[in-house]
Structure formats: structure tokens, C-alpha cells
Short mmCIF file of all heavy atoms in Angstrom, two decimals:
data_model
loop_
_atom_site.label_atom_id
_atom_site.label_comp_id
_atom_site.label_asym_id
_atom_site.label_seq_id
_atom_site.Cartn_x
_atom_site.Cartn_y
_atom_site.Cartn_z
N ALA N 630 -86.39 220.06 -6.72
CA ALA N 630 -86.23 221.16 -5.77
C ALA N 630 -87.06 222.38 -6.20
O ALA N 630 -86.97 223.41 -5.59
CB ALA N 630 -84.78 221.51 -5.69
N GLY N 631 -87.91 222.29 -7.19
CA GLY N 631 -88.78 223.34 -7.62
C GLY N 631 -89.97 223.59 -6.80
O GLY N 631 -90.03 223.05 -5.62
N GLU N 632 -90.96 224.26 -7.28
CA GLU N 632 -92.15 224.53 -6.50
C GLU N 632 -93.37 223.98 -7.26
O GLU N 632 -93.36 223.83 -8.46
CB GLU N 632 -92.33 225.99 -6.11
CG GLU N 632 -92.51 226.92 -7.28
CD GLU N 632 -92.58 228.36 -6.82
OE1 GLU N 632 -92.70 228.71 -5.61
OE2 GLU N 632 -92.47 229.23 -7.71
N SER N 633 -94.42 223.67 -6.51
CA SER N 633 -95.67 223.12 -7.06
C SER N 633 -96.49 224.33 -7.66
O SER N 633 -96.23 225.45 -7.35
CB SER N 633 -96.43 222.44 -6.04
OG SER N 633 -96.93 223.34 -5.00
N LEU N 634 -97.56 223.99 -8.30
CA LEU N 634 -98.54 225.00 -8.76
C LEU N 634 -99.10 225.81 -7.59
O LEU N 634 -99.18 227.00 -7.61
CB LEU N 634 -99.66 224.40 -9.53
CG LEU N 634 -99.35 223.90 -10.92
CD1 LEU N 634 -100.53 223.09 -11.43
CD2 LEU N 634 -98.96 224.98 -11.85
N ALA N 635 -99.49 225.10 -6.57
CA ALA N 635 -99.94 225.75 -5.32
C ALA N 635 -98.92 226.68 -4.67
O ALA N 635 -99.27 227.78 -4.30
CB ALA N 635 -100.43 224.71 -4.31
N ASP N 636 -97.72 226.27 -4.64
CA ASP N 636 -96.64 227.10 -4.10
C ASP N 636 -96.46 228.40 -4.95
O ASP N 636 -96.30 229.50 -4.47
CB ASP N 636 -95.30 226.39 -4.11
CG ASP N 636 -95.24 225.29 -3.08
OD1 ASP N 636 -96.08 225.29 -2.09
OD2 ASP N 636 -94.36 224.37 -3.19
N GLY N 637 -96.46 228.21 -6.25
CA GLY N 637 -96.32 229.41 -7.19
C GLY N 637 -97.52 230.31 -7.00
O GLY N 637 -97.34 231.53 -7.02
N ALA N 638 -98.75 229.76 -6.89
CA ALA N 638 -99.92 230.64 -6.76
C ALA N 638 -99.84 231.37 -5.42
O ALA N 638 -100.20 232.53 -5.30
CB ALA N 638 -101.19 229.79 -6.77
N ASP N 639 -99.40 230.71 -4.41
CA ASP N 639 -99.19 231.35 -3.06
C ASP N 639 -98.29 232.51 -3.08
O ASP N 639 -98.44 233.61 -2.56
CB ASP N 639 -98.77 230.35 -1.91
CG ASP N 639 -99.86 229.40 -1.59
OD1 ASP N 639 -101.09 229.66 -1.90
OD2 ASP N 639 -99.51 228.36 -0.93
N ARG N 640 -97.15 232.31 -3.78
CA ARG N 640 -96.11 233.36 -3.85
C ARG N 640 -96.61 234.53 -4.72
O ARG N 640 -96.43 235.71 -4.36
CB ARG N 640 -94.84 232.71 -4.51
CG ARG N 640 -93.66 233.63 -4.49
CD ARG N 640 -92.40 232.93 -4.88
NE ARG N 640 -92.53 232.05 -6.04
CZ ARG N 640 -92.38 232.45 -7.27
NH1 ARG N 640 -92.16 233.71 -7.53
NH2 ARG N 640 -92.46 231.62 -8.29
N LEU N 641 -97.31 234.25 -5.83
CA LEU N 641 -97.87 235.38 -6.65
C LEU N 641 -98.97 236.10 -5.84
O LEU N 641 -99.02 237.37 -5.84
CB LEU N 641 -98.44 234.86 -7.94
CG LEU N 641 -99.05 235.92 -8.87
CD1 LEU N 641 -98.05 237.00 -9.25
CD2 LEU N 641 -99.62 235.27 -10.10
N THR N 642 -99.79 235.40 -5.06
CA THR N 642 -100.83 235.99 -4.34
C THR N 642 -100.27 236.96 -3.28
O THR N 642 -100.72 238.06 -3.09
CB THR N 642 -101.74 234.90 -3.60
OG1 THR N 642 -102.32 234.06 -4.61
CG2 THR N 642 -102.77 235.52 -2.80
N ALA N 643 -99.23 236.51 -2.60
CA ALA N 643 -98.56 237.42 -1.64
C ALA N 643 -98.02 238.68 -2.26
O ALA N 643 -98.14 239.81 -1.74
CB ALA N 643 -97.43 236.61 -0.90
N ALA N 644 -97.37 238.49 -3.40
CA ALA N 644 -96.84 239.73 -4.07
C ALA N 644 -98.01 240.63 -4.54
O ALA N 644 -97.87 241.85 -4.41
CB ALA N 644 -96.02 239.25 -5.29
N LEU N 645 -99.07 240.03 -5.04
CA LEU N 645 -100.23 240.88 -5.44
C LEU N 645 -100.90 241.52 -4.27
O LEU N 645 -101.38 242.71 -4.42
CB LEU N 645 -101.19 240.09 -6.27
CG LEU N 645 -100.70 239.61 -7.63
CD1 LEU N 645 -101.66 238.71 -8.32
CD2 LEU N 645 -100.40 240.83 -8.55
N ARG N 646 -101.00 240.91 -3.15
CA ARG N 646 -101.50 241.57 -1.97
C ARG N 646 -100.73 242.75 -1.53
O ARG N 646 -101.27 243.81 -1.18
CB ARG N 646 -101.64 240.54 -0.80
CG ARG N 646 -102.72 239.57 -0.90
CD ARG N 646 -102.95 238.84 0.43
NE ARG N 646 -103.82 237.70 0.24
CZ ARG N 646 -105.08 237.73 0.01
NH1 ARG N 646 -105.71 238.88 0.00
NH2 ARG N 646 -105.79 236.67 -0.17
N ALA N 647 -99.35 242.63 -1.61
CA ALA N 647 -98.54 243.76 -1.19
C ALA N 647 -98.71 244.93 -2.23
O ALA N 647 -98.80 246.07 -1.76
CB ALA N 647 -97.06 243.33 -1.26
N ILE N 648 -98.90 244.61 -3.50
CA ILE N 648 -99.20 245.69 -4.47
C ILE N 648 -100.55 246.31 -4.21
O ILE N 648 -100.76 247.49 -4.25
CB ILE N 648 -99.07 245.11 -5.94
CG1 ILE N 648 -97.63 244.73 -6.18
CG2 ILE N 648 -99.58 246.11 -6.96
CD1 ILE N 648 -97.42 243.90 -7.48
N GLY N 649 -101.57 245.41 -3.99
CA GLY N 649 -102.91 245.89 -3.77
C GLY N 649 -102.98 246.74 -2.53
O GLY N 649 -103.73 247.79 -2.50
N ASP N 650 -102.26 246.37 -1.46
CA ASP N 650 -102.27 247.15 -0.25
C ASP N 650 -101.61 248.56 -0.44
O ASP N 650 -102.07 249.58 0.10
CB ASP N 650 -101.56 246.44 0.89
CG ASP N 650 -102.37 245.28 1.41
OD1 ASP N 650 -103.57 245.22 1.13
OD2 ASP N 650 -101.72 244.39 2.04
N ARG N 651 -100.66 248.59 -1.25
CA ARG N 651 -99.90 249.86 -1.56
C ARG N 651 -100.75 250.76 -2.46
O ARG N 651 -100.71 251.98 -2.30
CB ARG N 651 -98.60 249.58 -2.18
CG ARG N 651 -97.75 250.80 -2.40
CD ARG N 651 -96.32 250.49 -2.80
NE ARG N 651 -95.64 251.73 -2.92
CZ ARG N 651 -94.43 251.82 -3.40
NH1 ARG N 651 -93.77 250.70 -3.79
NH2 ARG N 651 -93.83 252.97 -3.60
N TYR N 652 -101.34 250.17 -3.41
CA TYR N 652 -102.14 250.97 -4.43
C TYR N 652 -103.62 250.63 -4.34
O TYR N 652 -104.29 250.33 -5.29
CB TYR N 652 -101.60 250.70 -5.87
CG TYR N 652 -100.16 251.03 -5.99
CD1 TYR N 652 -99.25 250.05 -6.01
CD2 TYR N 652 -99.75 252.36 -6.16
CE1 TYR N 652 -97.88 250.41 -6.19
CE2 TYR N 652 -98.43 252.65 -6.28
CZ TYR N 652 -97.50 251.69 -6.30
OH TYR N 652 -96.14 251.98 -6.39
N TYR N 653 -104.15 250.81 -3.14
CA TYR N 653 -105.55 250.49 -2.80
C TYR N 653 -106.52 251.14 -3.77
O TYR N 653 -106.40 252.33 -3.99
CB TYR N 653 -105.82 250.83 -1.37
CG TYR N 653 -107.13 250.24 -0.92
CD1 TYR N 653 -107.31 248.95 -0.59
CD2 TYR N 653 -108.27 251.10 -0.85
CE1 TYR N 653 -108.52 248.48 -0.14
CE2 TYR N 653 -109.48 250.62 -0.48
CZ TYR N 653 -109.60 249.30 -0.07
OH TYR N 653 -110.83 248.79 0.30
N GLY N 654 -107.44 250.36 -4.25
CA GLY N 654 -108.47 250.92 -5.11
C GLY N 654 -108.10 251.09 -6.57
O GLY N 654 -108.94 251.50 -7.37
N ARG N 655 -106.92 250.68 -6.92
CA ARG N 655 -106.51 250.74 -8.33
C ARG N 655 -106.48 249.39 -9.01
O ARG N 655 -106.17 248.39 -8.29
CB ARG N 655 -105.15 251.37 -8.48
CG ARG N 655 -105.11 252.82 -8.01
CD ARG N 655 -103.70 253.34 -8.26
NE ARG N 655 -103.60 254.69 -7.68
CZ ARG N 655 -102.49 255.36 -7.70
NH1 ARG N 655 -101.39 254.89 -8.16
NH2 ARG N 655 -102.43 256.58 -7.26
N ALA N 656 -106.74 249.25 -10.30
CA ALA N 656 -106.62 248.00 -10.98
C ALA N 656 -105.11 247.69 -11.22
O ALA N 656 -104.32 248.56 -11.29
CB ALA N 656 -107.36 248.06 -12.30
N THR N 657 -104.84 246.40 -11.16
CA THR N 657 -103.44 245.95 -11.42
C THR N 657 -103.36 245.12 -12.64
O THR N 657 -104.15 244.14 -12.81
CB THR N 657 -103.00 245.13 -10.16
OG1 THR N 657 -103.10 245.86 -8.98
CG2 THR N 657 -101.58 244.64 -10.31
N LEU N 658 -102.43 245.41 -13.53
CA LEU N 658 -102.22 244.64 -14.70
C LEU N 658 -101.05 243.60 -14.36
O LEU N 658 -100.05 244.02 -13.91
CB LEU N 658 -101.75 245.51 -15.88
CG LEU N 658 -101.24 244.79 -17.12
CD1 LEU N 658 -102.38 244.02 -17.71
CD2 LEU N 658 -100.63 245.80 -18.07
N VAL N 659 -101.36 242.37 -14.53
CA VAL N 659 -100.39 241.33 -14.21
C VAL N 659 -100.00 240.65 -15.56
O VAL N 659 -100.84 240.18 -16.26
CB VAL N 659 -101.04 240.26 -13.29
CG1 VAL N 659 -100.03 239.24 -12.94
CG2 VAL N 659 -101.63 240.87 -12.08
#
């Protein structure tokens, strides 16, 4: 019932897009 590597990457990508949109032009440390 877990998630695949692709599912995990999609979820992280969505979270990073939200951060990137909020702090546009700044580097993000993950």
C-alpha cells in the first residue's frame, strides 16, 4: 500500500513547486 519511486518524486516535485512559486527567484535547500 506504499508508493513507488515515481509517486514519491511526483509528490516532492509538487511540494517544491509550491515553495518555488512562493519564494520565486530564491534557491531552495532540500
Side-chain angles (χ1 to χ4, degrees):
E632 64 185 347
S633 68
L634 287 172
D636 292 339
D639 288 345
R640 191 167 44 83
L641 180 59
T642 300
L645 290 174
R646 281 192 195 286
I648 292 167
D650 289 341
R651 184 171 181 188
Y652 300 103
Y653 189 78
R655 296 183 184 175
T657 302
L658 172 66
V659 182

